[in-house]
Amino acid sequence: MARYDLLGTLNWGDHLPFLKDFDLQKIRFTCSKLVPKVNRFVGSIIADHQADITQTNRDFVHVLLSLQGPDKLSHSDMIAVLWEMIFRGTDTVAVLIEWILARMVLHPEVQKRVQEELDAVVGGGSRALTEEDVAMTVYLPAVVKEVLRLHPPGPLLSWARLAITDTTIDGHHVPAGTTAMVNMWAIARDPEVWVDPLEFKPERFVGLENEFSVFGSDLRLAPFGSGRRTCPGKTLGLSTVTFWVASLLHEFQWVPSDEGNGVDLTEVLRLSCEMANPLTVKVRPRRGLSP
Ligand code: HEM
């Protein structure tokens, strides 16, 4: 069973240093039991790649293997890099796709506009969408940005920020050694930063394609973090999500399911900020239907 929940659990020992050694919630103990399993799992991926002498489909693991050697990557470095990629790169992408689809069900007029844009770039006929088609869209990236603003999968950019000297921020003393959290969720909903912050309005990004980057240069919206420890998978993550959403919206119409109480936007912060009640929907095939 995946134990993503462990990564999102509030560990009192992190906040009250005198509790740290007691591991009262058994978090460190449980993690130590998982480490050998992770090592075996990721180790088998590396072993499979080492055995693949043809290397016809060279991928990321092959590149890591080519960097192995004295003063270069060790086996345990490779395990750490691969494991980090797997656990940081899978649920963020899945969670963001789910939030986007939830918003599409809640805002059928936005869904229709995305579908019209996709139909226009694909042209007539019934072929499947390609990555080149997606690159020609304008409204779809605005929709993705608006969902990243309201539902960032990583709302607290926290893990890598440590005050290395005593400092003062807004009159508050911050001692050296303090772990700092950047609350991107709050910034993205701040009325002093955004007009109508709680409203879902993808139009706010239309026309700003080349001016508004979500990759960390504009701190009004930095859902992948910023600075040296920014997300290394941001380009891959954003293009994967955009392509999947484009394909799912091009192929299907997404409507509320007959059961349940519609789309519930309640959030729960686990490793990522997820939908507390997973999305349930009905889908209708679109291709082959007259517009
Ligand atoms: C839509 C998808 C994604 C979102 C929203 C996202 C978001 C984030 C955020 C907010 C951080 C913390 C940055 C900071 O504190 O400044 C982060 C770090 C990280 N992400 Fe992503 N990420 C996504 C996809 C991916 C993918 C696809 C990969 C790998 C294939 C990945 C790998 C990582 C890694 C390794 C880190 C840690 C970097 C470090 O600590 O130096 N992420 N991500």
Side-chain angles (χ1 to χ4, degrees):
M1 191 186 104
R3 292 300 312 268
Y4 274 84
D5 57 311
L6 277 174
L7 293 153
T9 305
L10 177 72
N11 186 351
W12 287 108
D14 288 344
H15 302 276
L16 305 170
F18 60 91
L19 289 179
K20 199 171 172 188
D21 290 339
F22 298 106
D23 192 25
L24 292 177
Q25 293 153 278
K26 296 253 178 291
I27 293 178
R28 207 171 337 130
F29 173 78
T30 316
C31 288
S32 68
K33 297 272 167 223
L34 286 172
V35 170
K37 290 188 186 172
V38 169
N39 287 348
R40 269 200 304 279
F41 172 68
V42 181
S44 70
I45 297 178
I46 297 172
D48 287 350
H49 281 72
Q50 277 167 328
D52 168 23
I53 44 164
T54 56
Q55 297 199 7
T56 36
N57 291 317
R58 269 175 69 83
D59 61 24
F60 184 70
V61 183
H62 290 117
V63 176
L64 287 182
L65 280 170
S66 73
L67 298 173
Q68 239 184 342
D71 298 329
K72 289 171 149 182
L73 279 187
S74 68
H75 187 73
S76 58
D77 290 336
M78 284 186 56
I79 299 245
V81 171
L82 279 179
W83 180 236
E84 178 95 347
M85 289 294 172
I86 293 169
F87 90 76
R88 298 300 295 264
T90 42
D91 85 319
T92 41
V93 167
V95 164
L96 182 56
I97 292 177
E98 190 179 13
W99 279 119
I100 297 174
L101 293 174
R103 282 292 181 173
M104 293 303 93
V105 175
L106 264 184
H107 307 276
E109 70 296 348
V110 175
Q111 178 179 169
K112 187 161 176 276
R113 193 168 156 189
V114 173
Q115 285 162 336
E116 283 168 359
E117 178 176 57
L118 295 171
D119 290 345
V121 295
V122 171
S126 58
R127 73 172 172 86
L129 189 100
T130 65
E131 287 181 44
E132 288 72 30
D133 298 323
V134 177
M136 290 164 69
T137 58
V138 174
Y139 190 61
L140 172 66
V143 168
V144 176
K145 280 183 189 168
E146 183 66 341
V147 178
L148 276 167
R149 185 181 71 80
L150 283 169
H151 311 289
L156 299 172
L157 318 175
S158 58
W159 294 1
R161 310 297 188 276
L162 187 76
I164 52 173
T165 55
D166 285 0
T167 186
T168 305
I169 297 178
D170 272 355
H172 301 283
H173 174 62
V174 181
T178 306
T179 306
M181 292 192 168
V182 177
N183 190 340
M184 188 40 64
W185 188 95
I187 297 170
R189 288 166 180 246
D190 185 341
E192 289 187 12
V193 180
W194 296 94
V195 178
D196 300 331
L198 300 185
E199 284 182 32
F200 182 72
K201 282 190 187 167
E203 296 72 28
R204 66 175 90 235
F205 293 108
V206 174
L208 300 177
E209 293 74 39
N210 300 322
E211 286 155 50
F212 202 110
S213 164
V214 289
F215 284 157
S217 53
D218 191 327
L219 296 180
R220 286 175 294 172
L221 182 58
F224 298 95
S226 183
R228 279 196 214 172
R229 299 294 294 269
T230 182
C231 172
K234 57 191 174 186
T235 314
L236 175 65
L238 192 63
S239 47
T240 306
V241 167
T242 311
F243 181 69
W244 270 99
V245 168
S247 302
L248 291 170
L249 291 177
H250 186 231
E251 296 287 336
F252 301 105
Q253 192 187 354
W254 296 72
V255 294
S257 80
D258 299 328
E259 296 123 41
N261 300 319
V263 178
D264 177 356
L265 294 180
T266 310
E267 303 168 327
V268 59
L269 185 58
R270 297 200 176 99
L271 175 61
S272 299
C273 190
E274 302 174 13
M275 296 185 76
N277 295 307
L279 181 65
T280 53
V281 285
K282 265 194 326 199
V283 289
R284 299 195 187 117
R286 288 185 73 244
R287 280 211 281 153
L289 299 179
S290 49

